[in-house]
Amino acid sequence: MASPSRSGVFAADTDQRLEAYAESISFDSRLYRHDIRGSIAHAEMLSTVGLISSQEFQQIRDALTEIGAEIEAGKMPFRFELEDIHMHIEQALIERLGDVGRKLHTARSRNDQVSTDTRLWVRDALDRVDALLADLQRAFLSRCDADFDCILPAYTHLQRAQPVLAPHYWLAYVEKFARDRERVADCRRRVNQCSLGVAAVAGTTLPIDRDQTAAALGFDSPTANSLDTSSDRDFLIESAFVLSTIALHLSGWAEEWILWSTVEFDFIRLPQAFCTGSSIMPQKINPDTLELTRGKSARVMGNLQTLMLLVKNLPLAYNRDLQEDKPPLFDSFDTIEAMLELASPMVRESELNREKIADRLEKGYLDATTLMEWMVRRGMPQRTAHHLVGAIVGEAMSRDVPLADLPIEVFQSHAPEIDNSVYDVLGSRNAVDAFCSYGSTAPDQVRAQIERWQTAIATADEV
Ligand code: ARG
């Protein structure tokens, strides 16, 4: 069969090698629901403005619904000569309805059709990602009460720094994923514009109603410039960027928990259902899920690069290069959804090795900064206190004891004004309790943040 996009102007058939080279049905078939939805809205508008009769609209709507069910059931054979999902559906309509089917493409081009379908698809996909992110936030939040009393070392440069409450760690990720959700929502606003009616590039001379199709498809408004719309793939690039920041956050979390699950750290026991074994070393319980999360994040970030390079140097407006946008787009969404689906149960089902953590918590002088601030509060200049506490820590190191185990005389040999109340801020527990600033790991601050998030997430659930 000759391609329906080849008009009477062609005197020669398509070379079969071009058909195989140019097809997109192998990946854009997954747009079929959105294509059918867009076509029904378009046909209804055509009947409202009198370009087709209402009876023709009903025939088209019913036939498109049947075609959708046929594709759903896997009964539509896909053929390269029909290139893409848009042509397959239109051709199936023409086979059913003849000339009535031939009217569907009135005032429409595949250029506005593919953009509309992709916007509808991305909108649904962003909503799924948002729901998965909310679930991951709930997973971290669900740990906060039970882990409230557990103190972990916070690291800078991967060196022990200061003590923090475990829920302070969990809420750090809740915050990161909250920003991701804001980016999803913001991106969705720009996705949610209707391209339909832009036709090929300049609009149409036919009296269409773009507001009607936009409203019927749940878009906020029609796009305002046909040349821009026909070329615009910003909404895909933005989506791929939003997914890339999610990937970055997941990858960082995965790396942290991979480290935490080593014998060297031994902070966390990962659920065995999400670990794998070794084919040679019988003792191995490997964190492959987290490693793949780290690894798959590279694909998501690579896809963003692919999309940006794809549109770089394209003149206005539609160019066939744009067909190549879908494989990276779909891959980014598929990958992020798979990553998020496994992250939530891993967060819920992992267990902190509280004893192991506590055993080594007084190693690394996590309370040194608190001691310095204790001296600052008593009037010593910060730089002086910083130097002095460094010297005290050096002495504790040479004795291989924590600060809390140094006799008072040692403190007083460095600063005679130090009295026994210094021991009130020494040790990780005391050090954590000494914090007070907003956003810090102070227990009442952390408690307030847990409550803020519990309320925020409960309120969002009601919406
Ligand atoms: N298969 C094409 C794509 O996905 C459809 C648009 C084709 N438009 C055109 N003017 N050839 O981009």
Side-chain angles (χ1 to χ4, degrees), residues 129-142 170 173-174 177 180-181 246 249-250 253 339-348 457:
V129 167
D130 185 62
L132 288 166
L133 285 170
D135 189 53
L136 183 53
Q137 286 184 303
R138 274 192 289 273
F140 276 110
L141 203 53
S142 73
W170 308 155
Y173 288 107
V174 173
F177 295 121
D180 288 332
R181 293 183 67 193
I246 298 169
H249 292 151
L250 288 171
W253 160 73
M339 287 160 85
L340 288 169
E341 268 161 20
L342 292 190
S344 290
M346 289 209 72
V347 167
R348 285 196 170 87
I457 285 176

Side-chain angles (χ1 to χ4, degrees), residues 5 22-25 27-28 31 82-87 109-115 118 200 233 318-326:
S5 70
E23 65 84 23
S24 56
I25 187 64
F27 50 85
D28 67 18
L31 294 174
L82 286 178
E83 187 182 311
D84 56 29
I85 190 62
H86 323 293
M87 298 286 232
S109 149
R110 277 182 299 157
N111 298 351
D112 56 341
Q113 193 180 353
V114 71
S115 168
T118 314
R233 292 297 182 275
Y318 180 84
N319 293 276
R320 189 62 180 274
D321 316 43
L322 294 176
Q323 177 174 293
E324 293 289 320
D325 61 2
K326 275 161 237 49

